[in-house]
Amino acid sequence: QGRALLLFPEGTRSADGSLGGAKSGTGLTVIRSGAPVIPVRIFGLHEIWGRKRRFPKPGRIIIKFGEPLRFEKERTEAETASRARTKAIYESVTEQVMDGIARMQPSRDVTHFG
């Protein structure tokens, strides 16, 4: 419908700031949305707003945006695939999204907010 959807695949902040596993509905949401996925990774958030902190403290974060991921092939296949194959497609898409996020590293060319 031309609208943006923000999805946090992990569903929560990790206890130590590392990437966690994605929720099972990530791939389903990606495939059914029909939209490209732009991986985004936030660096430094754990240090200023860890999971056990009620409010953030002053600090810097880095937000990195990856290249869009498109899943046309997977979407087409999912339209006629068996239930088991569709589930495998969702899992594969979830892994690809998380891999896209994991590959990102902070760099000096990223805007700093704080």
Side-chain angles (χ1 to χ4, degrees):
Q1 295 176 345
R3 297 180 181 162
L5 171 67
L6 178 62
L7 180 67
F8 291 90
E10 298 166 277
T12 188
R13 293 173 283 171
S14 67
D16 63 359
S18 64
L19 285 178
K23 297 291 184 183
S24 60
T26 301
L28 178 142
T29 303
V30 168
I31 291 298
R32 290 194 178 176
S33 75
V37 174
I38 300 173
V40 178
R41 187 164 179 185
I42 305 170
F43 295 92
L45 187 60
H46 177 72
E47 290 74 21
I48 65 170
W49 200 2
R51 189 171 180 179
K52 294 184 179 185
R53 291 188 61 86
R54 188 167 180 172
F55 298 103
K57 64 182 181 178
R60 288 184 173 244
I61 61 171
I62 298 171
I63 303 172
K64 183 98 182 216
F65 297 85
E67 293 296 320
L69 304 174
R70 303 185 189 281
F71 297 99
E72 282 83 8
K73 178 183 161 203
E74 292 87 345
R75 288 183 178 109
T76 300
E77 183 181 356
E79 289 176 7
T80 58
S82 68
R83 187 176 201 172
R85 178 62 189 139
T86 301
K87 183 176 178 182
I89 291 168
Y90 294 160
E91 290 172 1
S92 173
V93 167
T94 298
E95 289 175 15
Q96 292 177 61
V97 169
M98 292 306 290
D99 286 347
I101 294 169
R103 281 193 306 270
M104 286 188 258
Q105 297 299 318
S107 61
R108 295 179 185 256
D109 64 338
V110 178
T111 301
H112 292 260
F113 298 90

